[in-house]
Amino acid sequence: MTEKISYTELYRQLFHHYGPQGWWPAASDFQMLISAILVQRTNWKNVELALAHLGKEATAESLIQMEEAELAEKIRPSGFYRMKAKKIKAWLHWFQEYDFQVERIQSVDQAVLRKELLAIHGIGEETADAMMLYAFDKAGFIADNYAMRLFYRIGYQLPKTYHALKIEVENFFPHDLKMHQEFHALIVEHGKQYCKKTPLCEDCPLLSFCWTGEKKQMENRTR
């Protein structure tokens, strides 16, 4: 059976194949933060459409003054737009407590900041961790569905909860901001190209490390 690859070696293999991703794909910290909410339960193309409707001049100050119904219409392409408008409004009121200054939030203790974010209506663990990693400069792992699917197929024993997997990876991966930023982006890219719901194992760059890929190869040989 294929020997299980370490998290750090997995990162190296993905980085070698795909190169630096330079995430998050947004024009500013503010766009990143808004898009972390907009991307919930949708794809990035729809987020881009919603951001385009908001306009390049959109700011936290302008959106907090905007009527919720108007905001909802502007972000309609993202889906669940009324629900997301409520979430954005709740997040903006929290952001206002820091005078809309990302730099002020970056100085907040990581555990304290995560607790504050999770207390905001509509901000779950994945959204909070994305905001912390890509806007607030807090290193940490995002245990999203792409990661869970990849890790399961490679042969890791997955913890039962998001938080448990997050802590598991963080305990065995360098506490390095850039590496965590790249690791998440690389896992997403790999999930889009090869480790899809129906995996494309034959040409996968991780095939030699993957239990699922090895099993599929053995099944093909016996046919």
Side-chain angles (χ1 to χ4, degrees):
M1 182 61 73
T2 302
E3 184 177 350
K4 188 172 73 172
I5 187 174
S6 71
Y7 297 121
T8 304
E9 182 58 28
L10 175 61
Y11 167 83
R12 292 193 183 113
Q13 291 292 329
L14 290 171
F15 191 88
H16 176 75
H17 183 80
Y18 295 106
Q21 300 298 295
W23 264 38
W24 186 281
S28 64
D29 285 336
F30 177 66
Q31 268 204 3
M32 181 275 139
L33 291 161
I34 290 294
S35 64
I37 298 173
L38 294 174
V39 79
Q40 294 174 0
R41 301 170 71 180
T42 192
N43 59 57
W44 189 253
K45 289 183 179 179
N46 291 337
V47 173
E48 289 180 326
L49 289 171
L51 290 174
H53 283 195
L54 286 173
K56 294 180 179 179
E57 304 304 315
T59 63
E61 291 88 343
S62 65
L63 294 189
I64 202 169
Q65 296 297 327
M66 187 180 293
E67 291 293 330
E68 189 176 302
E70 182 182 354
L71 175 59
E73 282 303 313
K74 285 184 177 291
I75 64 171
R76 180 186 281 264
S78 71
F80 305 97
Y81 54 96
R82 293 189 184 92
M83 186 186 304
K84 289 179 182 179
K86 287 184 181 296
K87 294 178 181 182
I88 290 172
K89 281 289 189 178
W91 175 79
L92 284 168
H93 285 293
W94 170 83
F95 195 25
Q96 189 177 37
E97 294 177 9
Y98 289 94
D99 299 321
F100 305 121
Q101 298 297 313
V102 168
E103 295 77 11
R104 282 190 60 192
I105 300 171
Q106 288 171 341
S107 66
V108 177
D109 174 80
Q110 185 161 351
V112 172
L113 177 56
R114 193 170 192 269
K115 187 175 180 179
E116 287 188 13
L117 287 170
L118 291 175
I120 302 168
H121 169 72
I123 305 298
E125 291 193 285
E126 186 176 329
T127 302
D129 289 337
M131 289 179 170
M132 292 175 67
L133 181 59
Y134 291 106
F136 301 140
D137 292 349
K138 308 293 186 186
F141 186 70
I142 301 174
D144 66 354
N145 288 335
Y146 285 111
M148 291 181 183
R149 188 163 66 209
L150 173 60
F151 291 177
Y152 173 78
R153 287 172 175 169
I154 285 176
Y156 292 144
Q157 294 296 316
L158 293 184
K160 292 184 178 180
T161 67
Y162 175 102
H163 191 67
L165 178 56
K166 170 185 171 64
I167 298 304
E168 160 77 15
V169 176
E170 290 175 358
N171 284 340
F172 295 97
F173 191 81
H175 189 71
D176 181 278
L177 177 63
K178 295 299 181 184
M179 286 182 70
H180 271 290
Q181 289 174 336
E182 287 292 345
F183 197 24
H184 174 65
L186 289 164
I187 289 171
V188 172
E189 184 63 24
H190 186 68
K192 290 179 177 178
Q193 292 202 29
Y194 293 99
C195 206
K196 303 181 179 186
K197 289 183 179 179
T198 301
L200 305 177
C201 295
E202 186 175 353
D203 298 315
C204 175
L206 298 178
L207 182 58
S208 60
F209 306 102
C210 182
W211 292 22
T212 299
E214 182 184 70
K215 183 179 178 181
K216 287 188 70 174
Q217 281 189 317
M218 291 177 64
E219 289 173 350
N220 290 337
R221 291 193 198 106
T222 57
R223 286 176 182 173

